[in-house]
Amino acid sequence: MKKLAILGSTGSIGRSTLAVVAEHPLEFTVMGLAAGRNVELLAAQIRQFRPRVVSVQDEEAAARLRELLPADKNPELLAGPKGAAAVATAPGADLVVSAMVGAAGLEPTLAAIEAGIPVALANKETLVAAGPLVMAAARKTGVPLLPVDSEHSALMQAMEGQRREDVKKLWLTASGGPFRSWPAEKLARVTPAQALRHPNWDMGAKITIDSATMMNKALEVIEASVLFALPVDRIGVYIHPQSIIHSLVEFVDGSVIAQLGVPDMRLPIAYALTYPRRLPLSGPPLDLGQIAQLTFEEPDLERFPSLSLGYEAARAGGTMPAVLNAANEVAVAAFLAERLSYRGIPRVVAATMEAHAPESLHSLEQVLGVNRWAREHAQNLIARTGAGNSS
Ligand SMILES: NC(=O)c1ccc[n+]([C@@H]2O[C@H](COP(=O)([O-])OP(=O)(O)OC[C@H]3O[C@@H](n4cnc5c(N)ncnc54)[C@H](OP(=O)(O)O)[C@@H]3O)[C@@H](O)[C@H]2O)c1
């Protein structure tokens, strides 16, 4: 039985992970759960999966959770970043599922790696903000980082049994999001409710907005570059509105291997949980006859400038991807709170990147410092009317 610790258990990936666990009760047991503030759902998960240790975002959430749990047979209850790190290093855990959203996932993920525990990684922001540090830590402790992102899982699957030196280029697919065919003028009036309506995937709010701006693909290009040790100029993007081909690998002889599947995150999650074994999963099979057409387009970098910002940040290297990520987190939160326009998001990110002189990456403290600086800078830009706030 594989013993799991799940960071971000109340989120979209966390819930899908627990759905896989519930479907295969003889395969997995849950040692630890970490979440933010949704204590009602967390309490239900505790009752169902009986973890030994649980953590929430802060003491206030911990107090609310305590009231929901019976007085006896409760897990150890922790709070804050230290609590999340304790769940990530839960004694006896065989695998940590890293599925918190944003740079908040960095410290517990690194803690798991440093403790020698393999990680199924959904939290792409960790690799974007601190890729070289995270990969160096994984090399040092020899733990595998198993991608949960469907694109990176697809790339890993397409490269299975292949020689890395035979890989010419990686191609990530992107659905194009809800505004794929919208003209530029219409993008000036996008509302959070429209941006939250993703055509193919049901995901958390932040990644759904990132998909609508294509920043998600920018983060994934950087993630792929870090995970598969390739320069970003050998990573391309195709818009593939059906979300059936999850990514492709082009080899030096011109062969291209793709991985296909229905758009259901339980598939890449289950593959990461039992790699290299595959678990049978319930749900409708892929019916290509029904789908009939798989189409591809080049991304439009003028309407979706966030994608170019990702390439720029990766080429600048060092601390620049952490700045891109932090500024984007702040800008997305401001857009969702209706304090920033949709087109203001890449403007705030670009302006924050412009104000930063990248340094080479050497420590977690440095990344956390840069993250704080970029968040503050982006917040100030948004507060100053007109700085990226206009449509
Ligand atoms: N959703 C997808 O299909 C998908 C696909 C590929 C990759 N990913 C990546 O997976 C990660 C999670 O995405 P998601 O869509 O599952 O996000 P989500 O639904 O928003 O869930 C985020 C989770 O993180 C928790 N959390 C947030 N801030 C926290 C903090 N400071 N301390 C502790 N817990 C915190 C939330 O807790 P509460 O809700 O309890 O507050 C929730 O459990 C992201 O990095 C995303 O890019 C997601």
Side-chain angles (χ1 to χ4, degrees), residues 222-245:
I222 302 173
E223 181 187 7
S225 158
V226 171
L227 262 182
F228 302 112
L230 277 182
V232 282
D233 297 311
R234 285 171 61 193
I235 302 171
V237 173
Y238 283 128
I239 305 296
H240 166 52
Q242 296 82 15
S243 298
I244 295 298
I245 293 186

Side-chain angles (χ1 to χ4, degrees), residues 57 100-107 123-130 205-207 209-210 213 215-216 219 306 321-337 339-340 344-346 348-350 352 367-368 371-372 374-379 382:
Q57 194 163 335
M100 275 161 60
V101 64
L106 170 59
E107 286 180 84
N123 177 245
K124 64 192 84 182
E125 294 91 344
T126 282
L127 282 188
V128 172
K206 193 255 178 186
I207 185 176
I209 301 304
D210 285 347
T213 58
M215 179 57 87
N216 185 47
L219 301 178
S306 295
V323 167
L324 165 107
N325 180 64
N328 180 59
E329 283 187 27
V330 167
V332 169
F335 169 69
L336 285 169
R339 289 188 290 109
L340 182 68
I345 299 173
V348 165
V349 175
T352 309
V367 174
L368 297 177
N371 181 56
R372 271 193 302 276
R375 294 182 71 88
E376 222 171 274
H377 191 87
Q379 254 144 14
I382 294 163

Side-chain angles (χ1 to χ4, degrees), residues 7-16 34-39 41-42 45 55-58 80-81 84 98-105 108 121-126 148-151 201-208 210 216 219-220 223 265 268-269:
L7 311 175
S9 66
T10 51
S12 164
I13 292 289
R15 293 193 308 270
S16 295
R37 297 204 170 101
N38 186 350
V39 293
L41 178 57
L42 183 57
Q45 292 178 342
S55 174
V56 287
Q57 194 163 335
D58 49 35
S98 168
M100 275 161 60
V101 64
L121 187 74
N123 177 245
K124 64 192 84 182
E125 294 91 344
T126 282
V148 165
D149 234 334
S150 56
E151 294 78 359
W201 297 95
D202 181 13
M203 310 181 285
K206 193 255 178 186
I207 185 176
T208 305
D210 285 347
N216 185 47
L219 301 178
E220 286 179 6
E223 181 187 7
M265 282 308 294
I269 290 170

Side-chain angles (χ1 to χ4, degrees), residues 40 53 59 62 98 150 164 194 202 217 250 262 277-278 307 322 327 360 387:
E40 289 76 16
V53 54
E59 289 298 340
S98 168
S150 56
R164 282 297 168 93
Q194 289 169 326
D202 181 13
K217 217 43 58 179
E250 180 183 341
V262 291
R277 207 154 55 86
R278 289 181 189 272
L307 187 52
S360 62

Side-chain angles (χ1 to χ4, degrees), residues 157-177:
Q157 293 179 55
M159 280 190 270
E160 239 3 90
Q162 303 290 334
R163 291 165 11 121
R164 282 297 168 93
E165 52 272 45
D166 291 342
V167 172
K168 186 172 175 194
K169 195 159 177 176
L170 307 179
W171 290 97
L172 300 177
T173 53
S175 70

Side-chain angles (χ1 to χ4, degrees), residues 1-6 27-32 52-53 85-96 112 115-118:
M1 248 198 188
K2 199 168 256 183
K3 301 187 196 80
L4 304 179
I6 303 171
E27 291 276 349
F28 307 106
T29 175
V30 176
M31 304 287 291
R52 286 194 203 152
V53 54
V87 170
T89 53
D94 300 313
L95 182 76
V96 169
I117 306 175

